[in-house]
Amino acid sequence: MVRTEMCSRRVLLAGVTLGAAAPMLAAGSSRALAADESEAVSRRLEALRVAIVEGDAKALDALTHPQLSYGHSSGRKIETKAQFVASLAGKTNYKSLTFSEPWIQVVGDNAMVRHVWDGVDILPNGETGRSYIAVLQVWLKDGGEWRLLARQSCPLKPA
């Protein structure tokens, strides 16, 4: 009987230990999944930067959600997806463009992204200007792909 009692205690202890460890294991899995999703969003952010620089309409279309709301740093110009894509399609608007200081947080099928946009713009007269802005984006996982749903920026003074 002592042997059966000892075995029962071990089984009970193993069950309690597993029960206590399961949330920690699940949390570890969740963190790993969130890290994977953050990396996927980061790759899409870089693809968006490249598509903007290259004026690649097909890539811009694939990277953005049909309900895109794209707000500019003036706070007065907001574009739909069609307007955003058309404004860049087939054009070279930037001599260079970097997205620095990225911060990405994934929450379910949504991701919040912040970064600094630093661009050497090609102006209509052929001269160059500089765009230096803080950007907040919202990405949505749609059909298994991360797509830009909303973006708003504001002027940023160079550091």
Side-chain angles (χ1 to χ4, degrees):
M1 186 124 171
V2 173
R3 186 174 171 93
T4 304
E5 209 172 278
M6 223 164 141
C7 185
S8 295
R9 285 184 184 166
R10 284 184 183 154
V11 169
L12 179 62
L13 181 59
V16 169
T17 303
L18 181 59
M24 290 184 276
L25 293 171
S29 294
S30 295
R31 280 193 292 278
L33 182 58
D36 289 348
E37 292 298 335
S38 291
E39 184 57 37
V41 172
S42 180
R43 286 190 302 273
R44 298 289 279 189
L45 179 64
E46 175 58 13
L48 179 66
R49 187 197 65 77
V50 170
I52 289 170
V53 170
E54 294 178 354
D56 184 342
K58 186 175 180 180
L60 291 167
D61 183 66
L63 290 162
T64 54
H65 190 273
Q67 298 300 311
L68 177 67
S69 176
Y70 191 92
H72 289 267
S73 61
S74 68
R76 299 189 182 278
K77 182 177 180 183
I78 299 173
E79 294 176 323
T80 64
K81 177 177 181 166
Q83 292 167 327
F84 169 68
V85 172
S87 73
L88 296 167
K91 300 174 186 163
T92 305
N93 294 314
Y94 301 94
K95 189 173 183 179
S96 68
L97 179 62
T98 58
F99 290 175
S100 62
E101 302 177 40
W103 173 89
I104 299 170
Q105 183 174 8
V106 174
V107 181
D109 286 342
N110 301 287
M112 297 174 286
V113 176
R114 293 180 185 273
H115 65 85
V116 173
W117 166 303
D118 190 357
V120 177
D121 311 347
I122 300 171
L123 303 174
N125 64 6
E127 294 181 16
T128 59
R130 184 171 186 208
S131 52
Y132 191 73
I133 55 179
V135 177
L136 170 64
Q137 299 176 338
V138 177
W139 292 73
L140 175 67
K141 193 162 192 183
D142 178 45
E145 294 291 338
W146 287 101
R147 300 186 201 291
L148 180 63
L149 177 63
R151 183 255 200 196
Q152 185 60 58
S153 61
C154 65
L156 187 62
K157 292 181 181 178

